[in-house]
Amino acid sequence: MDAKVLAAGMRTIHNTLNMASPRIAERLTIGPFDLTINPAGREEFPAHNRNRATALVGEPPALDEIERTISAFRSRGIDRFFLWLATGMDTPQVLSSMERCALKQWPFVRYVALARPAGNPAPADSTLEVVRLVPEQSVVKEADVAAVYGNDMAARGFFATLGLEGCWHFVAMDQGVVAAASLLLTSGPIGYLGWSTTREGYRRKGGQAALIETRLRLAAELGCTVCVSETNTAVEGSLRNLLRAGFKPAYEYRVFGP
């Protein structure tokens, strides 16, 4: 699938998840930027910060659109925010505009979207049991998932999309303990593998490999032709699991902040 077509589908998926997120108080669109706003958020790292503007498709942002985006955050008292540019949106003119607006590229890691055909997963080497969650389930509590993600807000976000059309939630269990969690969100031909994390003390037990295998197979059964996931090079385990499962880089983000 062409990277631009893939990015357009990912924009729809991002917006679907953002609408359900309890961490997002407001959503705006300025030019090609989709903004999410969380006045209470001050997270240092771009991957965790919900005060972001993402430009995936369309015409690259003009200088005035970048300035209006910055103003949208600062007028709400938000000084810690990030602008994400997908491959193709980071033209020399846009990079010059970022510099003119005193925005610097986040230098520490690469943010990557990876893709592979749906279906035909390699068997996972894991003894963990994959369980699909449904709205009326009582097997897994929010506190169980909070222990996996490391905070209550992430767990609320995970459960907020439970039962959402086109969204399937999974956990990997180790003798009754929730060891890992993830979701699959479908949009047309795209299956998005996201919200993947593993509990401290349960890594290297194949939990994410088993969850990837389950979601690749389900995505194909649901009619998806391609699966996509996003990670960064600082999350070495996540990147390694995706590459082992046959995912390959599709496009990258450049991330800028003040």
Side-chain angles (χ1 to χ4, degrees), residues 38 103 107 170 212 240:
N38 175 20
L103 299 179
F170 299 91
I212 290 171
R240 183 169 55 248

Side-chain angles (χ1 to χ4, degrees), residues 206-231:
Q208 287 301 330
L211 290 167
I212 290 171
E213 177 189 354
T214 298
R215 289 176 293 167
L216 286 174
R217 184 175 289 109
L218 176 59
E221 292 172 359
L222 294 170
C224 297
T225 58
V226 63
C227 285
V228 186
S229 191
E230 296 171 309
T231 189

Side-chain angles (χ1 to χ4, degrees), residues 33-212:
F33 286 116
D34 293 315
L35 282 68
T36 57
I37 297 171
N38 175 20
R42 296 292 185 273
E43 293 84 356
E44 178 182 1
F45 299 111
H48 300 146
N49 194 309
R50 293 301 98 185
N51 289 308
R52 64 171 62 176
T54 305
L56 274 162
V57 291
E59 291 296 321
L63 175 60
D64 72 296
E65 292 168 335
I66 296 171
E67 291 173 335
R68 286 161 51 206
T69 297
I70 294 170
S71 178
F73 289 114
R74 289 187 167 151
S75 66
R76 290 162 173 80
I78 299 167
D79 294 320
R80 190 72 172 172
F81 56 87
F82 296 96
L83 277 62
W84 294 59
L85 301 174
T87 301
M89 306 298 280
D90 53 346
T91 65
Q93 182 176 354
V94 171
L95 298 181
S96 176
S97 296
M98 291 289 183
E99 183 177 358
R100 182 172 174 179
C101 292
L103 299 179
K104 298 179 180 179
Q105 184 171 346
W106 188 259
F108 305 109
V109 297
R110 292 166 53 208
Y111 295 88
V112 190
L114 303 100
R116 59 148 287 169
N120 299 317
D125 182 14
S126 176
T127 59
L128 275 61
E129 177 189 8
V130 174
V131 177
R132 178 186 164 190
L133 305 184
V134 294
E136 62 272 16
Q137 64 85 29
S138 59
V139 177
V140 175
K141 305 297 184 184
E142 190 172 298
D144 299 321
V145 176
V148 176
Y149 285 106
N151 66 78
D152 294 338
M153 184 61 75
R156 286 198 291 273
F158 183 82
F159 276 92
T161 53
L162 189 61
L164 184 71
E165 183 178 357
C167 199
W168 288 262
H169 296 63
F170 299 91
V171 295
M173 308 284 290
D174 185 6
Q175 298 182 359
V177 176
V178 180
S182 63
L183 62 76
L184 168 70
L185 178 62
T186 62
S187 178
I190 298 175
Y192 174 65
L193 282 62
W195 283 70
S196 302
T197 192
T198 303
R199 189 172 185 166
E200 287 288 345
Y202 289 87
R203 295 191 171 96
R204 300 189 180 277
K205 292 191 175 185
Q208 287 301 330
L211 290 167
I212 290 171

